[in-house]
Amino acid sequence: MRTGLHMSSFLLQARVWGHHGFRHLLSSSGMSWMHPGHAYKQWIESSSSLKASYEDWLLTYGLSVSPFHMRWQTALFNRQFYNWGRWKPRFLYLWFSIGMVFGIAAMFGSVILLGKTLMQTLTQMLTEAPKAQNDRMLQVVVPGVNLPVSQLTYFFSAILISGVIHEVGHGVAAIREQVRFNGFGIFIFIVYPGAFVDLFTTHLQVISPVQQLRIFCAGVWHNFVLGVASLTVLFLLPAILFPFYYTGVGALITEVTEDSPANGPRGLFVGDLVTSLQDCPVYSVEDWNSCLGDLSQKSQIGYCINAATLQQLSFPARVYRRLDGTVECCSNNSLTDICFSYSNNLDSHLYACLPARKVIEASQVCRTNMDCQKDFVPSLCVTPSLENQTRLIRVKHPPHIDMLFVGHPMHLQYTVSLSSFVPRHNFLSIDLPVVIETFCKYLISLSGALAVINAVPCFALDGQWILNSFLEATLSSLIVEKQNRELVGFLILLAGSALLAANVALGLWMVTAR
């Protein structure tokens, strides 16, 4: 604080004494005066020195930072990679030879798959068929658009693991083929993580094309193996978790969103076990989704009610038609009454406003009056008169009272999360099986997609090097001139790059612009 005040007095005095007096004052205070040009030069030299020190620090720790890209490379894992590359040489030879065959097949298969996807996308654009998008094998993923923000952790973790396994395949195969391994690293491009290996390029160039193929195909081969392993874990998960969770008894509620129509005092709660939807039994999450799909596609089911009870519960109300042609007969805006339609021997278009829960509870489902003719008691089949896409669904989740849902079945599907695994003990988490299931599904999807995309004969991807080595191994005797072989490879790469770019551009447009 004293220094600041002292310097302030210096500046005030300098305004009176002028430039020479200010320089003399600084000198007398033990401070040296410097010409502005010399000071600027010293500042530049200091900044350059600081920049050089910063770059040396980054180089020391294997870090590289540039706009939208940051990567880290290290030699800490080199010994481990060499141990893997020298483990059981005959097995590794067979392993990567199978991977070579798979990689070549994947190169051709990826072109066919991208071509089919492109045709489906163009067809959807011309016909504007929204259902076509769900049938495509490959889709562009945009976080926050067609990827929920809540799933980003799974997404980025699966990408990173798939990338690491991919590069481990390249590194181990390279060591197996006597190519020098310089290091392993990971990177972040914008927000997307990935991995890479640093190989000695000269060694890659002197080995045979078949050896190169084993190295270049190892990445997509390992991604395929990772996808198969994840699929196996997903399939065997009930057996793996059997000591802690049991399945086949229903669908366990794990989350109900705040805006869900199933939210409420008589709705669904976390920990409830759903056993049926209408007359459709539910033993797992797959059954839940299947039942909701059937309910949305089929017409509304009816309920058997005694004729005398019908007369007792119904009350006179005004009948009017909605814009979609359906009939509404409950005009009191009640949350408990629903308009039902029915027919008798005289008239087939009768309507009654009835309390929904009293009609549905302990009632048999029906389609016609014939389904209700039992015990010689006159009964009628009453069907909720609702809008075209709206359904009345009875959800059983004992020991609680049945939930009556009125709305589109898909709203129930999108706002309620479930699990097929029921904990055997109270201290076990109901979310753990869901986390494992979801992560396995992301690994299957993203690792498979990484294998397909990298196998495409496209510039800057593994497919470029796979294609070049494949042409060298197969066309050397047919096309003697190396320049001609390179020209053939260049044209194929150009077509493959255009095919991939068209799929990405149109897929991105379909996701964001429509």
Side-chain angles (χ1 to χ4, degrees):
M1 185 64 67
R2 289 182 179 179
T3 304
L5 293 174
H6 194 51
M7 289 299 298
S8 299
S9 63
F10 283 166
L11 293 177
L12 289 174
Q13 294 180 33
R15 293 176 184 175
V16 179
W17 295 340
H19 176 70
H20 295 285
F22 183 55
R23 182 176 61 178
H24 173 73
L25 182 59
L26 289 176
S27 300
S28 63
S29 301
M31 302 177 61
S32 60
W33 178 83
M34 182 176 294
H35 191 275
H38 293 167
Y40 179 74
K41 180 179 179 182
Q42 186 178 21
W43 179 78
I44 289 293
E45 292 176 352
S46 176
S47 299
S48 301
S49 176
L50 182 62
K51 180 181 178 182
S53 300
Y54 173 69
E55 291 176 348
D56 291 340
W57 181 83
L58 290 178
L59 186 63
T60 301
Y61 290 95
L63 293 172
S64 176
V65 180
S66 59
F68 309 112
H69 184 268
M70 180 175 65
R71 73 172 189 170
W72 171 70
Q73 180 176 342
T74 181
L76 294 175
F77 307 108
N78 286 19
R79 182 181 297 274
Q80 185 61 52
F81 271 90
Y82 276 101
N83 291 337
W84 288 337
R86 293 165 181 169
W87 176 76
K88 296 186 182 299
R90 292 185 178 180
F91 171 78
L92 290 181
Y93 173 80
L94 178 63
W95 176 260
F96 289 114
S97 296
I98 297 174
M100 177 184 66
V101 175
F102 173 81
I104 295 172
M107 180 178 63
F108 292 100
S110 64
V111 174
I112 297 174
L113 182 58
L114 285 180
K116 181 180 178 181
T117 304
L118 182 61
M119 294 302 297
Q120 289 178 337
T121 304
L122 292 174
T123 301
Q124 183 182 355
M125 292 173 61
L126 297 176
T127 60
E128 296 187 356
K131 292 184 179 179
Q133 187 174 357
N134 297 328
D135 299 332
R136 290 184 294 166
M137 292 289 293
L138 294 175
Q139 294 187 26
V140 176
V141 176
V142 180
V145 179
N146 60 347
L147 175 68
V149 177
S150 60
Q151 304 284 304
L152 289 181
T153 301
Y154 296 108
F155 179 76
F156 289 120
S157 299
I159 285 183
L160 181 59
I161 292 177
S162 300
V164 169
I165 296 299
H166 181 100
E167 298 302 328
V168 166
H170 285 312
V172 175
I175 293 173
R176 168 64 183 76
E177 301 300 334
Q178 305 299 317
V179 174
R180 193 174 80 186
F181 182 86
N182 294 328
F184 167 83
I186 59 176
F187 67 87
I188 298 177
F189 178 70
I190 305 179
V191 294
Y192 294 95
F196 65 93
V197 290
D198 184 12
L199 305 178
F200 192 52
T201 307
T202 305
H203 286 181
L204 277 173
Q205 294 173 346
V206 299
I207 60 178
S208 67
V210 176
Q211 290 177 297
Q212 292 177 356
L213 280 172
R214 293 195 191 99
I215 297 174
F216 296 143
C217 294
V220 297
W221 168 239
H222 274 215
N223 279 135
F224 172 76
V225 172
L226 176 61
V228 172
S230 301
L231 183 62
T232 303
V233 172
L234 186 63
F235 180 76
L236 297 178
L237 193 59
I240 297 173
L241 297 180
F242 180 77
F244 310 101
Y245 300 85
Y246 57 89
T247 58
V249 295
L252 184 69
I253 305 295
T254 59
E255 182 184 5
V256 180
T257 61
E258 294 184 1
D259 59 344
S260 173
N263 206 347
R266 290 194 176 182
L268 300 176
F269 298 92
V270 174
D272 289 353
L273 191 65
V274 177
T275 58
S276 70
L277 298 172
Q278 295 290 61
D279 59 339
C280 183
V282 174
Y283 301 106
S284 64
V285 177
E286 289 74 19
D287 293 337
W288 164 276
N289 295 328
S290 177
C291 290
L292 287 177
D294 292 340
L295 290 172
S296 63
Q297 295 175 4
K298 295 179 180 179
S299 59
Q300 174 67 58
I301 201 169
Y303 303 90
C304 293
I305 184 172
N306 185 280
T309 306
L310 175 61
Q311 295 296 328
Q312 179 183 1
L313 292 178
S314 63
F315 52 88
R318 182 181 177 182
V319 175
Y320 64 93
R321 293 188 178 275
R322 303 186 182 94
L323 295 177
D324 61 354
T326 58
V327 174
E328 175 60 70
C329 60
C330 292
S331 58
N332 58 353
N333 297 323
S334 173
L335 298 177
T336 60
D337 299 335
I338 290 179
C339 182
F340 287 85
S341 65
Y342 65 98
S343 64
N344 56 22
N345 296 332
L346 300 177
D347 196 343
S348 60
H349 297 287
L350 297 174
Y351 300 92
C353 185
L354 304 172
R357 189 168 294 277
K358 290 184 179 181
V359 173
I360 293 176
E361 284 182 347
S363 298
Q364 176 188 346
V365 295
C366 58
R367 293 290 179 182
T368 63
N369 288 338
M370 295 298 297
D371 298 331
C372 302
Q373 302 304 323
K374 290 184 179 180
D375 301 328
F376 302 100
V377 177
S379 298
L380 300 174
C381 183
V382 295
T383 304
S385 178
L386 302 170
E387 295 176 300
N388 288 335
Q389 299 299 323
T390 305
R391 298 289 185 272
L392 171 60
I393 304 174
R394 177 171 56 183
V395 182
K396 286 187 173 293
H397 55 126
H400 305 287
I401 190 173
D402 295 351
M403 182 189 77
L404 302 184
F405 168 80
V406 179
H408 196 290
M410 292 300 102
H411 293 166
L412 192 62
Q413 185 177 25
Y414 293 147
T415 59
V416 178
S417 301
L418 305 98
S419 172
S420 300
F421 296 85
V422 181
R424 295 182 181 273
H425 306 285
N426 294 332
F427 64 86
L428 293 174
S429 171
I430 63 175
D431 296 323
L432 179 60
V434 177
V435 171
I436 299 176
E437 275 186 318
T438 306
F439 188 64
C440 286
K441 290 177 181 178
Y442 270 95
L443 277 180
I444 295 169
S445 176
L446 295 176
S447 187
L450 194 61
V452 171
I453 298 302
N454 270 282
V456 178
C458 172
F459 293 108
L461 295 178
D462 288 349
Q464 175 182 357
W465 316 114
I466 294 175
L467 176 67
N468 292 338
S469 300
F470 177 75
L471 294 179
E472 288 295 323
T474 56
L475 298 184
S476 297
S477 57
L478 297 177
I479 304 177
V480 180
E481 294 292 334
K482 184 176 178 63
Q483 292 182 348
N484 295 335
R485 294 196 300 271
E486 291 178 349
L487 179 60
V488 172
F490 175 79
L491 294 177
I492 296 176
L493 289 174
L494 196 62
S497 300
L499 179 62
L500 180 60
N503 271 277
V504 173
L506 293 180
L508 189 62
W509 181 82
M510 292 293 292
V511 171
T512 57
R514 299 193 66 177

PDB file of all heavy atoms in Angstrom, residues 278-299:
ATOM      1  N   GLN A 278     -53.724 -53.223 -19.607  1.00  0.00           N
ATOM      2  CA  GLN A 278     -54.988 -53.774 -20.094  1.00  0.00           C
ATOM      3  C   GLN A 278     -54.974 -55.298 -19.901  1.00  0.00           C
ATOM      4  O   GLN A 278     -54.697 -55.784 -18.811  1.00  0.00           O
ATOM      5  CB  GLN A 278     -55.205 -53.393 -21.563  1.00  0.00           C
ATOM      6  CG  GLN A 278     -55.379 -51.914 -21.809  1.00  0.00           C
ATOM      7  CD  GLN A 278     -56.693 -51.367 -21.283  1.00  0.00           C
ATOM      8  OE1 GLN A 278     -56.976 -51.419 -20.094  1.00  0.00           O
ATOM      9  NE2 GLN A 278     -57.486 -50.797 -22.170  1.00  0.00           N
ATOM     10  N   ASP A 279     -55.172 -56.041 -20.982  1.00  0.00           N
ATOM     11  CA  ASP A 279     -55.116 -57.497 -20.903  1.00  0.00           C
ATOM     12  C   ASP A 279     -53.792 -58.045 -21.406  1.00  0.00           C
ATOM     13  O   ASP A 279     -53.665 -59.242 -21.669  1.00  0.00           O
ATOM     14  CB  ASP A 279     -56.255 -58.111 -21.717  1.00  0.00           C
ATOM     15  CG  ASP A 279     -56.197 -57.693 -23.179  1.00  0.00           C
ATOM     16  OD1 ASP A 279     -55.553 -56.663 -23.470  1.00  0.00           O
ATOM     17  OD2 ASP A 279     -56.811 -58.378 -24.018  1.00  0.00           O
ATOM     18  N   CYS A 280     -52.783 -57.171 -21.526  1.00  0.00           N
ATOM     19  CA  CYS A 280     -51.464 -57.576 -22.034  1.00  0.00           C
ATOM     20  C   CYS A 280     -50.508 -57.763 -20.852  1.00  0.00           C
ATOM     21  O   CYS A 280     -50.175 -56.791 -20.155  1.00  0.00           O
ATOM     22  CB  CYS A 280     -50.922 -56.504 -22.987  1.00  0.00           C
ATOM     23  SG  CYS A 280     -49.336 -56.908 -23.740  1.00  0.00           S
ATOM     24  N   PRO A 281     -50.048 -58.993 -20.587  1.00  0.00           N
ATOM     25  CA  PRO A 281     -49.149 -59.221 -19.453  1.00  0.00           C
ATOM     26  C   PRO A 281     -47.767 -58.611 -19.690  1.00  0.00           C
ATOM     27  O   PRO A 281     -47.272 -58.586 -20.816  1.00  0.00           O
ATOM     28  CB  PRO A 281     -49.072 -60.744 -19.361  1.00  0.00           C
ATOM     29  CG  PRO A 281     -49.390 -61.226 -20.726  1.00  0.00           C
ATOM     30  CD  PRO A 281     -50.360 -60.244 -21.309  1.00  0.00           C
ATOM     31  N   VAL A 282     -47.161 -58.119 -18.618  1.00  0.00           N
ATOM     32  CA  VAL A 282     -45.835 -57.493 -18.688  1.00  0.00           C
ATOM     33  C   VAL A 282     -44.889 -58.257 -17.779  1.00  0.00           C
ATOM     34  O   VAL A 282     -45.087 -58.310 -16.562  1.00  0.00           O
ATOM     35  CB  VAL A 282     -45.899 -56.006 -18.261  1.00  0.00           C
ATOM     36  CG1 VAL A 282     -44.498 -55.406 -18.199  1.00  0.00           C
ATOM     37  CG2 VAL A 282     -46.780 -55.218 -19.217  1.00  0.00           C
ATOM     38  N   TYR A 283     -43.852 -58.859 -18.369  1.00  0.00           N
ATOM     39  CA  TYR A 283     -42.838 -59.581 -17.605  1.00  0.00           C
ATOM     40  C   TYR A 283     -41.459 -58.908 -17.682  1.00  0.00           C
ATOM     41  O   TYR A 283     -40.558 -59.277 -16.937  1.00  0.00           O
ATOM     42  CB  TYR A 283     -42.712 -61.017 -18.113  1.00  0.00           C
ATOM     43  CG  TYR A 283     -43.995 -61.810 -18.025  1.00  0.00           C
ATOM     44  CD1 TYR A 283     -44.735 -62.087 -19.170  1.00  0.00           C
ATOM     45  CD2 TYR A 283     -44.478 -62.267 -16.801  1.00  0.00           C
ATOM     46  CE1 TYR A 283     -45.919 -62.811 -19.102  1.00  0.00           C
ATOM     47  CE2 TYR A 283     -45.661 -62.992 -16.713  1.00  0.00           C
ATOM     48  CZ  TYR A 283     -46.374 -63.262 -17.876  1.00  0.00           C
ATOM     49  OH  TYR A 283     -47.547 -63.973 -17.798  1.00  0.00           O
ATOM     50  N   SER A 284     -41.320 -57.959 -18.600  1.00  0.00           N
ATOM     51  CA  SER A 284     -40.031 -57.283 -18.785  1.00  0.00           C
ATOM     52  C   SER A 284     -40.269 -55.941 -19.463  1.00  0.00           C
ATOM     53  O   SER A 284     -41.406 -55.605 -19.842  1.00  0.00           O
ATOM     54  CB  SER A 284     -39.086 -58.141 -19.636  1.00  0.00           C
ATOM     55  OG  SER A 284     -39.623 -58.310 -20.947  1.00  0.00           O
ATOM     56  N   VAL A 285     -39.197 -55.186 -19.637  1.00  0.00           N
ATOM     57  CA  VAL A 285     -39.294 -53.903 -20.322  1.00  0.00           C
ATOM     58  C   VAL A 285     -39.702 -54.106 -21.778  1.00  0.00           C
ATOM     59  O   VAL A 285     -40.460 -53.308 -22.349  1.00  0.00           O
ATOM     60  CB  VAL A 285     -37.957 -53.144 -20.230  1.00  0.00           C
ATOM     61  CG1 VAL A 285     -38.013 -51.833 -21.012  1.00  0.00           C
ATOM     62  CG2 VAL A 285     -37.596 -52.869 -18.781  1.00  0.00           C
ATOM     63  N   GLU A 286     -39.216 -55.172 -22.396  1.00  0.00           N
ATOM     64  CA  GLU A 286     -39.596 -55.464 -23.773  1.00  0.00           C
ATOM     65  C   GLU A 286     -41.094 -55.687 -23.892  1.00  0.00           C
ATOM     66  O   GLU A 286     -41.729 -55.232 -24.861  1.00  0.00           O
ATOM     67  CB  GLU A 286     -38.825 -56.695 -24.283  1.00  0.00           C
ATOM     68  CG  GLU A 286     -37.336 -56.466 -24.521  1.00  0.00           C
ATOM     69  CD  GLU A 286     -36.544 -56.384 -23.226  1.00  0.00           C
ATOM     70  OE1 GLU A 286     -37.065 -56.852 -22.177  1.00  0.00           O
ATOM     71  OE2 GLU A 286     -35.418 -55.836 -23.251  1.00  0.00           O
ATOM     72  N   ASP A 287     -41.677 -56.384 -22.919  1.00  0.00           N
ATOM     73  CA  ASP A 287     -43.131 -56.586 -22.930  1.00  0.00           C
ATOM     74  C   ASP A 287     -43.867 -55.257 -22.774  1.00  0.00           C
ATOM     75  O   ASP A 287     -44.900 -55.028 -23.423  1.00  0.00           O
ATOM     76  CB  ASP A 287     -43.539 -57.545 -21.801  1.00  0.00           C
ATOM     77  CG  ASP A 287     -43.019 -58.950 -22.023  1.00  0.00           C
ATOM     78  OD1 ASP A 287     -42.746 -59.308 -23.181  1.00  0.00           O
ATOM     79  OD2 ASP A 287     -42.871 -59.688 -21.029  1.00  0.00           O
ATOM     80  N   TRP A 288     -43.369 -54.399 -21.901  1.00  0.00           N
ATOM     81  CA  TRP A 288     -43.966 -53.072 -21.704  1.00  0.00           C
ATOM     82  C   TRP A 288     -44.017 -52.304 -23.027  1.00  0.00           C
ATOM     83  O   TRP A 288     -45.065 -51.770 -23.409  1.00  0.00           O
ATOM     84  CB  TRP A 288     -43.165 -52.323 -20.647  1.00  0.00           C
ATOM     85  CG  TRP A 288     -43.369 -50.842 -20.574  1.00  0.00           C
ATOM     86  CD1 TRP A 288     -42.748 -49.894 -21.335  1.00  0.00           C
ATOM     87  CD2 TRP A 288     -44.253 -50.114 -19.699  1.00  0.00           C
ATOM     88  NE1 TRP A 288     -43.164 -48.630 -20.985  1.00  0.00           N
ATOM     89  CE2 TRP A 288     -44.098 -48.736 -19.980  1.00  0.00           C
ATOM     90  CE3 TRP A 288     -45.133 -50.488 -18.689  1.00  0.00           C
ATOM     91  CZ2 TRP A 288     -44.789 -47.745 -19.311  1.00  0.00           C
ATOM     92  CZ3 TRP A 288     -45.834 -49.494 -18.016  1.00  0.00           C
ATOM     93  CH2 TRP A 288     -45.669 -48.145 -18.320  1.00  0.00           C
ATOM     94  N   ASN A 289     -42.884 -52.250 -23.729  1.00  0.00           N
ATOM     95  CA  ASN A 289     -42.825 -51.531 -24.998  1.00  0.00           C
ATOM     96  C   ASN A 289     -43.717 -52.182 -26.051  1.00  0.00           C
ATOM     97  O   ASN A 289     -44.394 -51.492 -26.832  1.00  0.00           O
ATOM     98  CB  ASN A 289     -41.385 -51.460 -25.505  1.00  0.00           C
ATOM     99  CG  ASN A 289     -40.492 -50.630 -24.596  1.00  0.00           C
ATOM    100  OD1 ASN A 289     -40.944 -49.666 -23.977  1.00  0.00           O
ATOM    101  ND2 ASN A 289     -39.225 -50.997 -24.497  1.00  0.00           N
ATOM    102  N   SER A 290     -43.718 -53.508 -26.079  1.00  0.00           N
ATOM    103  CA  SER A 290     -44.545 -54.226 -27.052  1.00  0.00           C
ATOM    104  C   SER A 290     -46.032 -54.002 -26.797  1.00  0.00           C
ATOM    105  O   SER A 290     -46.811 -53.773 -27.733  1.00  0.00           O
ATOM    106  CB  SER A 290     -44.214 -55.718 -27.013  1.00  0.00           C
ATOM    107  OG  SER A 290     -45.034 -56.447 -27.887  1.00  0.00           O
ATOM    108  N   CYS A 291     -46.437 -54.049 -25.541  1.00  0.00           N
ATOM    109  CA  CYS A 291     -47.846 -53.836 -25.201  1.00  0.00           C
ATOM    110  C   CYS A 291     -48.291 -52.428 -25.563  1.00  0.00           C
ATOM    111  O   CYS A 291     -49.391 -52.225 -26.113  1.00  0.00           O
ATOM    112  CB  CYS A 291     -48.078 -54.099 -23.716  1.00  0.00           C
ATOM    113  SG  CYS A 291     -47.936 -55.839 -23.217  1.00  0.00           S
ATOM    114  N   LEU A 292     -47.460 -51.439 -25.259  1.00  0.00           N
ATOM    115  CA  LEU A 292     -47.813 -50.059 -25.599  1.00  0.00           C
ATOM    116  C   LEU A 292     -47.898 -49.870 -27.108  1.00  0.00           C
ATOM    117  O   LEU A 292     -48.766 -49.135 -27.610  1.00  0.00           O
ATOM    118  CB  LEU A 292     -46.793 -49.089 -25.005  1.00  0.00           C
ATOM    119  CG  LEU A 292     -46.849 -48.877 -23.496  1.00  0.00           C
ATOM    120  CD1 LEU A 292     -45.732 -47.946 -23.042  1.00  0.00           C
ATOM    121  CD2 LEU A 292     -48.204 -48.325 -23.061  1.00  0.00           C
ATOM    122  N   GLY A 293     -47.001 -50.528 -27.840  1.00  0.00           N
ATOM    123  CA  GLY A 293     -47.065 -50.446 -29.299  1.00  0.00           C
ATOM    124  C   GLY A 293     -48.350 -51.047 -29.843  1.00  0.00           C
ATOM    125  O   GLY A 293     -48.985 -50.486 -30.745  1.00  0.00           O
ATOM    126  N   ASP A 294     -48.753 -52.196 -29.302  1.00  0.00           N
ATOM    127  CA  ASP A 294     -50.001 -52.829 -29.742  1.00  0.00           C
ATOM    128  C   ASP A 294     -51.211 -51.971 -29.387  1.00  0.00           C
ATOM    129  O   ASP A 294     -52.146 -51.836 -30.190  1.00  0.00           O
ATOM    130  CB  ASP A 294     -50.143 -54.215 -29.104  1.00  0.00           C
ATOM    131  CG  ASP A 294     -49.117 -55.206 -29.632  1.00  0.00           C
ATOM    132  OD1 ASP A 294     -48.556 -54.952 -30.724  1.00  0.00           O
ATOM    133  OD2 ASP A 294     -48.861 -56.221 -28.943  1.00  0.00           O
ATOM    134  N   LEU A 295     -51.200 -51.386 -28.190  1.00  0.00           N
ATOM    135  CA  LEU A 295     -52.331 -50.567 -27.769  1.00  0.00           C
ATOM    136  C   LEU A 295     -52.490 -49.320 -28.635  1.00  0.00           C
ATOM    137  O   LEU A 295     -53.611 -48.857 -28.875  1.00  0.00           O
ATOM    138  CB  LEU A 295     -52.168 -50.154 -26.303  1.00  0.00           C
ATOM    139  CG  LEU A 295     -52.316 -51.284 -25.272  1.00  0.00           C
ATOM    140  CD1 LEU A 295     -51.949 -50.772 -23.883  1.00  0.00           C
ATOM    141  CD2 LEU A 295     -53.734 -51.832 -25.274  1.00  0.00           C
ATOM    142  N   SER A 296     -51.372 -48.761 -29.099  1.00  0.00           N
ATOM    143  CA  SER A 296     -51.446 -47.562 -29.934  1.00  0.00           C
ATOM    144  C   SER A 296     -51.911 -47.876 -31.352  1.00  0.00           C
ATOM    145  O   SER A 296     -52.498 -47.011 -32.024  1.00  0.00           O
ATOM    146  CB  SER A 296     -50.087 -46.863 -29.972  1.00  0.00           C
ATOM    147  OG  SER A 296     -49.115 -47.706 -30.565  1.00  0.00           O
ATOM    148  N   GLN A 297     -51.657 -49.100 -31.816  1.00  0.00           N
ATOM    149  CA  GLN A 297     -52.029 -49.472 -33.185  1.00  0.00           C
ATOM    150  C   GLN A 297     -53.436 -50.062 -33.263  1.00  0.00           C
ATOM    151  O   GLN A 297     -54.137 -49.870 -34.262  1.00  0.00           O
ATOM    152  CB  GLN A 297     -51.015 -50.466 -33.749  1.00  0.00           C
ATOM    153  CG  GLN A 297     -49.627 -49.886 -33.920  1.00  0.00           C
ATOM    154  CD  GLN A 297     -48.608 -50.923 -34.368  1.00  0.00           C
ATOM    155  OE1 GLN A 297     -48.951 -52.073 -34.620  1.00  0.00           O
ATOM    156  NE2 GLN A 297     -47.352 -50.519 -34.475  1.00  0.00           N
ATOM    157  N   LYS A 298     -53.863 -50.769 -32.232  1.00  0.00           N
ATOM    158  CA  LYS A 298     -55.178 -51.401 -32.247  1.00  0.00           C
ATOM    159  C   LYS A 298     -56.241 -50.420 -31.738  1.00  0.00           C
ATOM    160  O   LYS A 298     -55.936 -49.415 -31.104  1.00  0.00           O
ATOM    161  CB  LYS A 298     -55.169 -52.651 -31.375  1.00  0.00           C
ATOM    162  CG  LYS A 298     -54.236 -53.749 -31.898  1.00  0.00           C
ATOM    163  CD  LYS A 298     -54.258 -54.963 -30.981  1.00  0.00           C
ATOM    164  CE  LYS A 298     -53.329 -56.066 -31.486  1.00  0.00           C
ATOM    165  NZ  LYS A 298     -53.340 -57.232 -30.571  1.00  0.00           N
ATOM    166  N   SER A 299     -57.497 -50.755 -32.021  1.00  0.00           N
ATOM    167  CA  SER A 299     -58.598 -49.920 -31.565  1.00  0.00           C
ATOM    168  C   SER A 299     -58.788 -50.063 -30.062  1.00  0.00           C
ATOM    169  O   SER A 299     -58.337 -51.048 -29.450  1.00  0.00           O
ATOM    170  CB  SER A 299     -59.891 -50.298 -32.297  1.00  0.00           C
ATOM    171  OG  SER A 299     -60.202 -51.669 -32.068  1.00  0.00           O
TER     172      SER A 299
END
